[in-house]
Amino acid sequence: KCVKAVDIRGAALSGRETVDFLMFDRTRLRAELSEDCPALDFYNGFYLTPDDGKVCARRDGIHSRIGRSCRIERFHRLGQLSFQLLEFD
């Protein structure tokens, strides 16, 4: 399964081996990472580098700031979020 990178609003660690993607349609998509994934929260964040504009399970990975990466094994769609967009001047 793949998702368009432009549909991702943000991301947050949700567990030792999971990352939640916050989508522009107000849903959450949980990415389960490979079993051998290091604890990303100890490495000051993470990033994605999609080559073709998509983030795909069993192909792409989450990269820590120190250079390690964890492959995304699967996605699970979670419930819709309720949030209000704040604008700063």
Side-chain angles (χ1 to χ4, degrees), residues 28-47:
R28 262 187 313 165
L29 192 63
R30 178 157 292 164
E32 290 184 16
L33 306 177
S34 58
E35 292 288 327
D36 60 349
C37 182
L40 294 175
D41 54 340
F42 295 121
Y43 302 124
N44 297 320
F46 54 90
Y47 62 96

Side-chain angles (χ1 to χ4, degrees), residues 2-80:
C2 297
V3 295
K4 293 179 191 175
V6 296
D7 291 342
I8 300 172
R9 178 185 195 95
L13 289 172
S14 55
R16 289 179 50 186
E17 295 176 348
T18 56
V19 172
D20 283 358
F21 292 111
L22 310 174
M23 311 303 284
F24 275 103
D25 69 358
R26 295 185 175 189
T27 60
R28 262 187 313 165
L29 192 63
R30 178 157 292 164
E32 290 184 16
L33 306 177
S34 58
E35 292 288 327
D36 60 349
C37 182
L40 294 175
D41 54 340
F42 295 121
Y43 302 124
N44 297 320
F46 54 90
Y47 62 96
L48 296 166
T49 55
D51 291 331
D52 60 358
K54 296 178 187 172
V55 178
C56 299
R58 297 199 153 296
R59 184 190 78 175
D60 295 319
I62 305 287
H63 306 280
S64 72
R65 297 276 178 215
I66 63 164
R68 302 184 93 176
S69 65
C70 304
R71 190 172 82 160
I72 299 169
E73 292 298 321
R74 65 188 58 84
F75 291 111
H76 296 285
R77 189 157 303 271
L78 303 175
Q80 191 170 33

